[in-house]
């Protein structure tokens, strides 16, 4: 698979009866199933301040409060079981299961670090290949149909059920052998209550079926797809004709998985409940005031200024410094990052009818670039345009939608900014 194809087709999510496929051709029709069925439980969210954004009328992933009647709450202990399945026409090679186990083993640490320990994410790896007595081609369409992916998940669960107690797990991950060519990409799967797969007295409603793209993306594809199970949207464009990663580059794992700065945005951490309201400096009126932001990758302190600019849009300011997730490299420019968040569109920039976004968006999150046109050519095509987006020196300023952010002091790794709203 070419690099360009990997960027465009690596990810998708099937949600409560409808598939959201990334980067559909601009002429593609909306999913035939229509919007997913909403769960009956009211939406729950840790966002209670005036800076939260209104929840769209949809079951798809968005940047508003998350409905945890459908999505999986990303707090406390969350356990996933990784199943390895083979087929009548596809067998694994020696060492394949051990290699996959070793690769995915780093995923829990990502969530522990990003959540400041609020999420105890545990993976259990099955110790044998479980045989599905069908050819892998029987599950063609697993990445374009909710029911086809559900059938694949059900077959995998049935194959392993004699050895695995599924009542212990909230997430099922399915890994096929590399020779199973049907499985090209790695969509997440979410079912509303009543639509899941039942085993050992529990309903399994959250899953990821991995494909061949795991060899390109590495372990963080598990973090990205699990982010969907937690209700986080794709931050790249679903429009094949667009510059796919124009919105956020490599600044969040829900965008470019292989980006140099994959820690989740402060907005996502707040949405997930990993940041308290007291760590968000919420602005809803005009005027100018300073704020000192501690690094996003450390515990404690104020993590973001959020300016509710009206309706379904906010501007967010955060401090990105080198951390366990945002590692030092020529493609990570530590500094103050400014971005716009909106709930006017959904995952990948899709509209409520499932249509792909126009070229240029809007997208759920868009980074405000301090230095437009200053591509860092040594970095990947997907992230080079936004590497220098941050405010790195005293006096650096960006303005977006009536909000001006100026870096005024750099005490240690903290950053003091002046935020002016007109």
């Amino acid at each position: 698979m070419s690099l360009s194809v990997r960027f465009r087709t690596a990810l998708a999510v099937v949600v409560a009866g409808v598939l959201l496929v990334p980067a559909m051709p601009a002429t593609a029709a909306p999913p035939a199933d229509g919007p997913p069925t909403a769960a009956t439980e009211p939406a729950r969210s840790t966002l209670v301040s005036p800076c939260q954004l209104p929840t769209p009328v949809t079951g798809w992933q968005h940047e508003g409060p998350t409905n945890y009647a459908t999505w999986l709450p990303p707090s406390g202990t969350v356990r996933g079981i990784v199943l390895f399945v083979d087929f009548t026409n596809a067998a694994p090679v020696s060492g394949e299961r051990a290699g996959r186990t070793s690769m995915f083993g780093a995923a829990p640490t990502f969530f522990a670090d990003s959540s400041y320990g609020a999420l105890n994410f545990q993976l259990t790896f099955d110790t044998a290949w479980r045989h599905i007595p069908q050819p892998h081609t029987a599950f063609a369409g697993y990445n374009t149909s909710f029911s086809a992916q559900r059938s694949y998940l059900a077959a995998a669960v049935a194959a392993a059920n004699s050895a695995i107690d599924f009542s212990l797990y909230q997430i099922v991950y399915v890994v096929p052998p590399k020779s199973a060519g049907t499985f090209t990409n790695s969509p997440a799967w979410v079912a509303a209550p009543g639509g899941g797969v039942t085993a050992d007295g529990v309903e399994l409603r959250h899953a990821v079926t991995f494909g061949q793209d795991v060899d390109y993306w590495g372990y963080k594809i598990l973090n990205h797809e699990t982010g969907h199970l937690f209700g986080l949207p794709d931050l790249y464009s679903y429009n094949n004709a667009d510059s796919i990663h124009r919105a956020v580059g490599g600044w969040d794992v829900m965008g470019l998985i292989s980006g140099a700065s994959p820690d989740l945005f402060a907005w996502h951490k707040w949405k997930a409940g990993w940041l308290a309201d007291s760590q968000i400096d919420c602005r809803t009126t005009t005027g100018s005031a300073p704020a000192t932001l501690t690094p996003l990758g450390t515990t404690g302190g104020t993590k973001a200024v959020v300016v509710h600019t009206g309706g379904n849009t906010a501007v967010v300011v955060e401090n990105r410094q080198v951390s366990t997730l945002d590692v030092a490299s020529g493609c990570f420019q530590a500094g103050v990052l400014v971005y716009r968040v909106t709930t006017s569109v959904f995952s990948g920039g899709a509209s409520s009818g499932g249509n792909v976004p126009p070229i240029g968006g809007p997208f759920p999150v868009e980074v405000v670039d301090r230095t437009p046109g200053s591509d860092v050519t040594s970095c990947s095509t997907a992230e080079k345009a936004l590497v220098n987006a941050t405010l790195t020196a005293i006096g650096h300023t960006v303005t977006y939608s009536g909000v001006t952010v100026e870096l005024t002091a750099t005490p240690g790794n903290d950053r003091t900014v002046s935020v002016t709203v007109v």
Side-chain angles (χ1 to χ4, degrees), residues 90-279:
V93 298
S94 176
E96 192 171 342
R97 181 178 56 79
R100 290 283 193 257
T101 298
S102 176
M103 179 187 70
F104 285 132
T109 300
F110 182 102
F111 280 133
D113 291 344
S114 188
S115 71
Y116 314 108
L119 174 60
N120 177 22
F121 180 71
Q122 299 178 2
L123 284 180
T124 297
F125 295 89
D126 196 2
T127 56
W129 290 91
R130 307 301 173 181
H131 186 64
I132 294 178
Q134 295 171 269
H136 59 82
T137 49
F139 303 102
Y142 80 104
N143 56 354
T144 58
S145 164
F146 175 88
S147 58
Q149 194 178 17
R150 185 187 184 282
S151 295
Y152 177 34
L153 174 65
V157 169
N161 201 18
S162 63
I164 302 296
D165 181 359
F166 285 97
S167 69
L168 301 176
Y169 306 102
Q170 293 81 51
I171 304 174
V172 179
Y173 300 95
V174 184
V175 181
K178 297 180 182 181
S179 57
T182 294
F183 306 106
T184 54
N185 62 332
S186 302
W189 184 85
V190 177
V197 173
T198 300
D200 296 320
V202 298
E203 184 184 22
L204 303 167
R205 299 192 295 108
H206 304 90
V208 178
T209 53
F210 288 112
Q212 295 176 349
D213 57 348
V214 300
D215 289 318
Y216 177 76
W217 296 113
Y219 79 88
K220 285 195 288 290
I221 192 171
L222 188 148
N223 297 106
H224 175 106
E225 297 301 337
T226 305
H228 288 317
L229 305 183
F230 296 151
L232 299 181
D234 280 322
L235 300 183
Y236 59 88
S237 175
Y238 284 0
N239 189 333
N240 266 328
D242 205 349
S243 174
I244 301 301
H245 293 282
R246 69 158 64 237
V248 304
W251 286 105
D252 188 298
V253 76
M254 299 311 296
L256 179 64
I257 294 173
S258 59
S261 44
D263 199 1
L264 293 169
F265 286 129
W267 179 270
H268 280 164
K269 298 186 183 204
W270 189 34
K271 174 177 163 71
W274 302 341
L275 291 177
D277 292 339
S278 61
Q279 294 180 276

Side-chain angles (χ1 to χ4, degrees), residues 9 11 50 55 76 104 163 204 215 232 263 291 304 318 329 360 365 393 420:
T9 64
L11 312 169
T55 302
F104 285 132
L204 303 167
D215 289 318
L232 299 181
D263 199 1
E318 67 187 39
S329 77
V365 178
T420 303

Side-chain angles (χ1 to χ4, degrees), residues 33-46:
D33 304 50
T37 302
T40 56
E41 181 181 316
R44 289 196 298 119
S45 172
T46 58

